[in-house]
Amino acid sequence: VTLNTDCYTFERDKYPANIWIQKQNVGDYLVGNDGPGGVNKPENNHRFPIPIDLIDEIQPYIKIAEAHNDRYL
């Protein structure tokens, strides 16, 4: 599985972090109605929490990415 997201999604101060994967549409509610900031119909998705140990492990790499990305300068 490949996850294409911005590094800041996994910054320590944003913990807890989850990956949500759509199971199916619920009634007339389409998963496309959910935005990146949250899931409105949790029953429509599988939730995979990102372990804090992984979040801590990738922090140095986030800092490297920030140093090379002008969005953070």
Side-chain angles (χ1 to χ4, degrees):
V1 173
T2 300
L3 180 64
N4 185 8
T5 187
D6 293 318
C7 291
Y8 62 82
T9 303
F10 300 105
E11 288 178 344
R12 185 67 156 81
D13 64 341
K14 298 202 182 333
Y15 191 80
N18 297 290
I19 296 173
W20 294 87
I21 299 177
Q22 177 186 3
K23 292 190 286 190
Q24 61 188 21
N25 293 324
V26 175
D28 293 332
Y29 186 84
L30 302 176
V31 74
N33 294 335
D34 292 331
V39 173
N40 295 321
K41 296 279 189 183
E43 65 274 15
N44 198 29
N45 298 273
H46 295 287
R47 181 178 70 90
F48 298 93
I50 307 294
I52 191 67
D53 291 344
L54 178 59
I55 297 290
D56 288 341
E57 184 74 24
I58 64 176
Q59 294 311 294
Y61 301 101
I62 291 173
K63 298 300 178 203
I64 291 168
E66 288 175 351
H68 289 90
N69 187 331
D70 63 356
R71 252 193 322 191
Y72 297 100
L73 299 177

